[in-house]
Amino acid sequence: MCGIVGATAERRVAEILLEGLRRLEYRGYDSAGMALLNNAGMVKVRRVGKVKELADAIERDGVNGHVGIAHTRWATHGGVTEANAHPHVSNNELAVVHNGIIENHESLRETLQGLGYQFDSQTDTEVIAHLVHHELKSATTLLAAVQNAVKQLDGAYGTVIMDQRDPGQLVVARSGSPLVIGLGIGENFVASDQLALLPVTRKFIYLEEGDVAAVSRESVAIFDRDGNAVERDVITSDLQYDAGGKGEYRHFMLKEIHEQPFAVRNTLEGRVLDGKIAVDAFGAQAEDIFKQTKHVQIIACGTSYHAGMVAKYWLEALAGVSCNVEIASEFRYRKSHVFPNSLLVTISQSGETADTLAALRLAKEIGYQASLTVCNVASSSMVRESDLAFLTRAGAEIGVASTKAFTTQLAGLLMLTAAIGRFHGMSSSTEARIAKALSSLPTKLEECMSITGAIEKLAPEFADKEHSLFLGRGEQYPIAMEGALKLKEISYIHAEAYASGELKHGPLALIDAEMPVIVVAPNNELLEKLKSNVEEVRARGGIMYVFADSKANFKSDDSMRVINLAHVDELIAPIIYTLPLQLLSYYVAIIKGTDVDQPRNLAKSVTVE
Ligand code: G6P
């Protein structure tokens, strides 16, 4: 999704801005641009395509400056064209970059056109440029003009504005889209994500909702939504930017798949001790809150939603609480019933997904007992705004298709099951079994990597297929959904997942030799029922790929390829069976030649609705 970087310094900033954009590339985008102020005034360079195209153009034109703003755009309003790429400029004097969506852009556009402003793009962002330019006719400073302008904006924005009549200063405003200020010595920076600024600073200030700030080389002045001067905490980041290299791997996604044993080990570190789960891993108040919790409402999007669906099976079977799981974009716009003592759990890799964040904020208004986020980014809005937080510690995930974030979320959610269950009648032997299964997980994941070669050999059989079906039962049903999501995200093959019991209620009609059916079949109490579903597919000429427990006794034949996995405790089977499905989608995408780490049209962190 869109990325923002800005800088004001004595040194030239074009390369700092470009490096910042490169570090945000993983989020997904379709065009990039930069505006710089120098002695000659303002220069603007924009390109459709990769940051490399922009960097080449900037180098070729020899463009630079001491103040600048840059942006990667993921199109929402207006097609992917150079004219729609940011920055947007008003009267060649004032430039704006913006993340988010201005919902009242049409009426503002009409008003501004009436005032004589000409629009060069189809974007909602361009209204900010002209609106601030207009406000600056009556306001005495750029800061005051931005403060007046944002009062007229509906929707979400993280925006940075610079003006050649007031060079040296960046004015930033945040409402609904994250922005961070990076503090240097005699220079300051802004970005939509601290990752972009790690080469230049480790000191950051996170703006809060409604904040507007004036950032110059020597000072940062922050004002809240009412215009009061406010101090915000300065944090020192210890984030490791390991995205710089893919190491021995061809893609970040493959590296991140292989990092899973290590990532899960990190998730568990110091939190599973002597057969018990450390409840305070969820926050200092966790014990008090979990004792009162009677119901869990999970809210998430995408892959994180699938993690939530697995957690529902665990929580209801083991922890003695009821649980609902809902997609954030649905939950936030419907009137829902709040059960007494209901804990709202958001699950998010980024902690910034707009719909999930909005659902969290809504939950505070409608009477939830408390909120917990299971999240990978300690500095994210969700962590900062939730009562409790469990950090998954997966490390930076760069591939747009989520892998290690998912398996670490699952590890965290199994811990949550034990942590809540302890106060609701779960026996200490069940907690000890969960602890033991979790402790074995990193090694089991490592061992599971040995199937990589077998999966690589299977992948060519999918390359010419247009559709596929994934089947699972019980807590493996959401794993089948996640497998289908991975395949469609990066190989662009249409993939659907079904709970295998639903097969005869529709999808069976689709089965033929051109529709591969992928089955996730661990050795649990549903195995015999799953075997019947497999026979239903076989009888209709379907070709199956079965990922099965070695004890489940599936045999390869003309209509079925069996890939055996070592037997594991069924508690952790959903986490283990995720891995072959990730590898399958990866190797199919390689054969199809897609952009694995940045698949078309997708974004890593969806900060707009
Ligand atoms: C995007 C990403 C997915 C991710 C989803 C939710 O769609 O491409 O990989 O699962 O957002 O993101 P979150 O950061 O909230 O987990």
Side-chain angles (χ1 to χ4, degrees), residues 171-372:
V171 175
V172 298
R174 173 198 168 144
S175 182
S177 280
L179 271 184
V180 62
I181 298 173
L183 303 174
I185 299 169
E187 55 186 13
N188 285 313
F189 308 93
V190 296
S192 50
D193 186 322
Q194 54 168 278
L195 265 186
L197 300 178
L198 290 179
V200 283
T201 185
R202 291 258 152 199
K203 290 202 181 316
F204 295 101
I205 298 173
Y206 275 87
L207 291 183
E208 295 193 2
E209 289 295 279
D211 283 355
V212 180
V215 179
S216 66
R217 272 171 50 191
E218 299 296 345
S219 69
V220 171
I222 305 174
F223 302 86
D224 66 14
R225 68 171 83 244
D226 299 321
N228 303 312
V230 284
E231 296 283 324
R232 302 283 181 223
D233 293 344
V234 177
I235 60 147
T236 304
S237 171
D238 58 0
L239 194 70
Q240 291 306 311
Y241 177 72
D242 57 353
K246 297 170 197 156
E248 64 197 271
Y249 299 101
R250 189 166 158 193
H251 292 99
F252 282 112
M253 182 182 176
L254 187 62
K255 175 174 171 245
E256 287 157 6
I257 290 173
H258 281 266
E259 278 172 353
Q260 289 177 108
F262 172 75
V264 169
R265 201 167 271 132
N266 261 349
T267 310
L268 302 176
E269 180 76 37
R271 293 164 161 179
V272 180
L273 301 164
D274 302 329
K276 282 192 177 323
I277 303 302
V279 177
D280 61 7
F282 297 88
Q285 304 301 315
E287 181 167 341
D288 292 345
I289 290 172
F290 292 169
K291 277 180 179 161
Q292 305 298 325
T293 299
K294 293 210 162 53
H295 177 77
V296 174
Q297 173 68 59
I298 297 178
I299 300 292
C301 302
T303 289
S304 298
Y305 169 70
H306 296 152
M309 285 187 67
V310 177
K312 176 183 165 81
Y313 285 91
W314 285 335
L315 283 162
E316 296 209 341
L318 301 166
V321 289
S322 57
C323 176
N324 283 342
V325 191
E326 192 163 348
I327 292 165
S329 55
E330 286 299 311
F331 176 80
R332 67 178 286 196
Y333 286 119
R334 76 179 178 89
K335 289 200 170 46
S336 57
H337 176 74
V338 184
F339 292 93
N341 288 358
S342 189
L343 174 68
L344 185 102
V345 177
T346 55
I347 307 173
S348 178
Q349 188 286 128
S350 62
E352 302 294 350
T353 301
D355 285 321
T356 314
L357 187 56
L360 166 63
R361 290 174 180 162
L362 172 72
K364 290 183 182 185
E365 289 165 21
I366 60 177
Y368 274 86
Q369 175 210 6
S371 57
L372 160 70

Side-chain angles (χ1 to χ4, degrees), residues 301-304 347-353 356 382 397 399-402 409 485-486 489 602-606:
C301 302
T303 289
S304 298
I347 307 173
S348 178
Q349 188 286 128
S350 62
E352 302 294 350
T353 301
T356 314
M382 277 181 228
E397 189 180 68
V400 163
S402 188
Q409 284 168 352
L485 177 63
K486 286 285 92 74
E489 278 179 313
L602 299 182
K604 179 75 188 156
S605 181
V606 181

Side-chain angles (χ1 to χ4, degrees), residues 428-440:
S428 52
S429 61
T430 302
E431 183 171 352
R433 181 182 154 208
I434 291 176
K436 186 169 171 219
L438 279 169
S439 303
S440 72

